[in-house]
Amino acid sequence: MIHKTYQEQLQTWDKQYLWHPFTQMQDYVKEKPLIIEEGSGIFLKDVNGKEYIDGVSSMWCNLHGHRKQEIDDAIKRQLDKVAHTTLLGPSNIPAIELARKLVEIAPKGLQKVFYSDNGSTANEVALKMALQYWQHKGFKDKTQFVALQYGYHGDTIGTMSVGGIEIFHGAFRPLYFKTHLAPSPYCYRCPLSKQRENCSLACLEKLEDILKKNADGIAAMIMEPLVQGAGGMIIHPSGYLSGVHALCKKYNVLLILDEVLTGFGRTGRMFACLHENIVPDIMSLSKGINGGYMPLAATLATDEIYNAFLGKYAELKTFFHGHTYTGNPLGCAAALASLELFEKEHILEALKPKINHLKTRLKSFESLEHVGDVRQCGLIAAIELVKDKTTKEPYPWEERMGIQVCLEARKHGLLIRPLGHIIVIMPPLIIKTHEIDRLLDIIHESIQIVASSKGHRIF
Ligand SMILES: *Cc1c(COP(=O)(O)O)cnc(C)c1O
């Protein structure tokens, strides 16, 4: 806990000097900032000493809780050796060991690891690899991409070019390269107005139309497997991913899977693509890679891709890409410790009952008047709030419904962040079932409090 006067000082400085990401600062400066001082397990504590459940895993990346002994120790041990050395030329021990480990746990066929430091760069690397692969293979026209509506792959110009969220990405349109957007399998709001029971995945036909017409100009399809995160925790129907994989094969287009969010256990398996037994050509990883400790990312590629870049130096086939902190030893050491915990604490096995418990408990939300859809994949869940349950009419933006529910939850000791009117639930994987109960109780109550304060019916 921090002395009252210094707390106030920090709050003033926060508003004076900081520009927060994805935040309307005009609103932010009107509220009292929440300043975190420390954490332990699934809990975070602010400078007042008030405790919160970290309900979104500190932006979807924490797995084993905060101040996990084994990861703390691994970082300290590495710190006693060296904090950072470059991979441009020399190598380092944790980067080598982690690359080997990642290839061992990744879907079979992904053989090479290219490091960077966040999800956006991991995807930039993937896009550049895919395009240059075809250049090296003599397919000079394959320079475009296919992506999904509501897809999110990062905030750099390249990843925004393949992004499908209009409110984030619309303003920068003049800078983008050519991308074809296929409809998202967002079953609650099906873009084709079909019903899941008898749609036969008609959205795949739309994707096939794009591929059939443009395959000669398309380098790769990029998508988030199973769960489209930032686009609204849209959960894909089973069979969609394997359908996409088959179409990419059929039309000679590479498949890039962005597992930045879904990787490392979130969906109940180590990687989401394992649910449908498919292996992409390129896979990007970041958020959970080292349990949510520090910036690190990896792009995995097949030998087929890697080999296309081999040649005499003068042939200029080299992959000219790299970031200063590529393969940072501290980040890699933390990642090795995190992956060891998966084995030692049987994280994936322990998840099964939690996922089932979450599923059972989420049912209690379905009867709420302002809940349109409740969806779940592994330990990821989303509650979509609607103004009108029958017509699925969303709340107007001005009502800031999602934000209000999350602010209410904060009062009750739960930190969550909405995506528009969608309440996101993504706790660290080590959360216990009684803690899931507490988390859901708080959200349930918060929805009711906010809905009734607006004069809406609750049931
Ligand atoms: C968060 C996220 C990214 C971007 O990662 P950053 O580390 O924020 O750059 C990319 N893809 C997906 C699926 C994500 O969830």
Side-chain angles (χ1 to χ4, degrees):
M1 216 173 120
I2 285 190
H3 195 274
K4 201 89 200 155
T5 52
Y6 192 56
Q7 266 182 44
E8 282 159 14
Q9 181 70 86
L10 287 169
Q11 282 165 0
T12 309
W13 286 343
D14 181 49
K15 294 177 187 181
Q16 191 176 348
Y17 297 114
L18 258 178
W19 189 344
H20 286 261
F22 280 97
T23 302
Q24 178 43 261
M25 295 306 290
Q26 185 173 306
D27 293 335
Y28 183 87
V29 296
K30 287 185 205 143
E31 315 257 346
K32 196 168 157 186
L34 170 68
I35 305 174
I36 301 297
E37 188 184 1
E38 56 183 57
S40 177
I42 66 160
F43 295 98
L44 291 170
K45 211 186 261 182
D46 70 11
V47 287
N48 276 307
K50 183 173 163 65
E51 219 171 43
Y52 307 86
I53 296 177
D54 185 356
V56 285
S57 300
S58 290
M59 213 51 228
W60 314 348
C61 59
N62 190 287
L63 306 179
H64 309 287
H66 298 279
R67 275 176 52 217
K68 181 73 183 170
Q69 189 75 50
E70 287 86 345
I71 304 180
D72 290 6
D73 289 346
I75 294 170
K76 287 174 190 162
R77 270 198 309 276
Q78 183 57 38
L79 204 46
D80 282 336
K81 301 256 186 197
V82 65
H84 180 67
T85 65
T86 182
L87 275 197
L88 278 74
S91 205
N92 74 64
I93 299 169
I96 297 170
E97 290 175 348
L98 178 60
R100 177 171 180 264
K101 189 75 199 168
L102 287 174
V103 168
E104 184 188 307
I105 62 173
K108 293 290 155 267
L110 294 167
Q111 307 275 20
K112 293 289 186 285
V113 175
F114 191 99
Y115 290 114
S116 61
D117 29 41
N118 60 70
S120 305
T121 54
N123 285 321
E124 290 281 347
V125 167
L127 296 169
K128 285 175 72 174
M129 270 179 187
L131 185 136
Q132 206 173 6
Y133 165 79
W134 290 115
Q135 301 288 308
H136 291 334
K137 284 281 182 183
F139 293 78
K140 303 281 184 199
D141 295 334
K142 281 169 110 42
T143 57
Q144 303 166 10
F145 292 88
V146 183
L148 289 183
Q149 183 192 11
Y150 305 121
Y152 179 81
H153 305 289
D155 294 333
T156 53
I157 310 280
T159 57
M160 284 195 299
S161 295
V162 291
I165 307 177
E166 188 56 29
I167 60 158
F168 295 175
H169 303 138
F172 304 97
R173 196 155 306 278
L175 303 178
Y176 296 166
F177 50 73
K178 177 90 177 154
T179 298
H180 307 264
L181 282 189
S184 162
Y186 184 0
C187 299
Y188 177 61
R189 297 182 186 279
C190 175
L192 308 178
S193 307
K194 304 246 178 211
Q195 299 296 322
R196 177 66 199 103
E197 299 73 46
N198 52 21
C199 72
S200 314
L201 295 173
C203 45
L204 283 173
E205 290 166 24
K206 297 281 171 199
L207 173 62
E208 179 153 19
D209 290 344
I210 293 172
L211 293 172
K212 197 183 280 173
K213 219 184 276 163
N214 306 286
D216 290 346
I218 295 175
M221 158 115 193
I222 181 168
M223 68 178 277
E224 298 154 86
L226 264 59
V227 184
Q228 288 183 273
M233 293 303 149
I234 296 164
I235 293 172
H236 296 173
S238 88
Y240 182 78
L241 176 60
S242 46
V244 170
H245 180 253
L247 287 175
C248 287
K249 283 265 173 292
K250 181 171 170 190
Y251 291 96
N252 211 20
V253 159
L254 297 177
L255 178 60
I256 301 169
L257 288 185
D258 175 355
E259 293 244 14
V260 167
L261 161 67
T262 49
F264 303 101
R266 283 279 164 213
T267 66
R269 299 275 183 97
M270 193 52 106
F271 302 105
C273 61
L274 296 172
H275 287 274
E276 301 212 356
N277 269 319
I278 64 124
V279 183
D281 300 287
I282 304 176
M283 179 165 93
S284 30
L285 302 171
S286 184
K287 290 194 169 90
I289 192 167
N290 54 25
Y293 261 65
M294 56 180 80
L296 183 72
T299 307
L300 275 59
T302 58
D303 274 338
E304 168 64 22
I305 306 264
Y306 172 85
N307 289 336
F309 286 78
L310 301 179
K312 293 208 179 70
Y313 187 78
E315 288 178 71
L316 294 181
K317 285 188 163 182
T318 307
F319 189 48
F320 289 108
H321 188 108
H323 298 279
T324 309
Y325 284 100
T326 283
N328 173 259
L330 293 173
C332 291
L336 282 162
S338 169
L339 291 173
E340 242 171 63
L341 284 167
F342 269 91
E343 290 166 23
K344 195 175 113 193
E345 299 189 351
H346 308 286
I347 299 287
L348 295 177
E349 294 75 13
L351 270 176
K352 287 188 189 114
K354 298 181 201 184
I355 291 168
N356 288 333
H357 186 77
L358 180 62
K359 188 173 178 189
T360 314
R361 283 294 324 265
L362 280 170
K363 285 196 180 28
S364 69
F365 286 85
E366 285 165 8
S367 58
L368 287 179
E369 180 63 28
H370 293 279
V371 170
D373 191 33
V374 181
R375 41 187 186 259
Q376 181 201 4
C377 177
L379 213 58
I380 302 171
I383 297 168
E384 181 160 344
L385 303 172
V386 286
K387 185 149 191 233
D388 187 321
K389 203 163 169 146
T390 326
T391 62
K392 304 186 181 177
E393 183 194 343
Y395 277 102
W397 277 100
E398 310 83 81
E399 287 209 37
R400 299 166 75 229
M401 191 63 187
I403 295 177
Q404 301 224 25
V405 169
C406 294
L407 285 174
E408 184 64 34
R410 188 191 282 190
K411 289 186 206 157
H412 303 270
L414 169 65
L415 272 190
I416 45 173
R417 186 178 167 89
L419 293 163
H421 328 294
I422 297 161
I423 306 298
V424 176
I425 300 167
M426 189 154 351
L429 304 185
I430 48 109
I431 192 169
K432 299 191 173 72
T433 50
H434 73 269
E435 293 164 337
I436 292 177
D437 288 342
R438 192 168 142 205
L439 183 154
L440 293 180
D441 286 345
I442 295 174
I443 295 178
H444 201 272
E445 198 187 339
S446 300
I447 293 174
Q448 295 187 52
I449 291 172
V450 172
S452 61
S453 76
K454 287 177 176 291
H456 297 310
R457 270 176 48 220
I458 299 169
F459 288 101

